[in-house]
Amino acid sequence: MSTILRSIKALSPLLDRVLVQRVKMESKTAGGIFLPDSAVKELNEAKVLAVGPGAMDKDGKRMTMSVAAGDKVLIPQFGGSPIKVGDEEYSIFRDHELLAKINE
């Protein structure tokens, strides 16, 4: 990416795209034992940070998004468009690529 973002808040998804950040697995167990980086795997769980307004259907009407900012979702292991801001990593997926919404 040629443009350097100072903050992820400067990024607004377009159409049916969803900006997410993967939830990081704890590197410490409940008993207080620290796990090495090789033992900590990436989870497919992510938090939705921002959503686009929705795609247009063939009649020109805006389709509603299936998720909203703040939702937790399951994302595919691979895919999406990665974005790095500082040390933090984010991804942009299309709404239909999300696997499930986690209701807590």
Side-chain angles (χ1 to χ4, degrees), residues 18-86:
V18 180
L19 176 66
V20 300
Q21 183 176 26
R22 282 187 191 269
V23 174
K24 294 180 179 133
M25 186 173 179
E26 291 293 324
S27 60
K28 186 168 107 173
T29 65
I33 298 171
F34 286 96
L35 300 171
D37 288 338
S38 60
V40 178
K41 68 175 189 167
E42 271 191 353
L43 297 176
N44 286 3
E45 185 178 326
K47 182 177 180 184
V48 176
L49 302 177
V51 296
M56 304 292 260
D57 65 10
K58 63 180 178 177
D59 297 326
K61 295 181 183 175
R62 181 110 21 217
M63 296 186 291
T64 58
M65 298 291 284
S66 60
V67 295
D71 288 346
K72 286 191 177 181
V73 294
L74 288 179
I75 57 175
Q77 184 69 31
F78 302 102
S81 299
I83 299 171
K84 191 165 185 173
V85 178

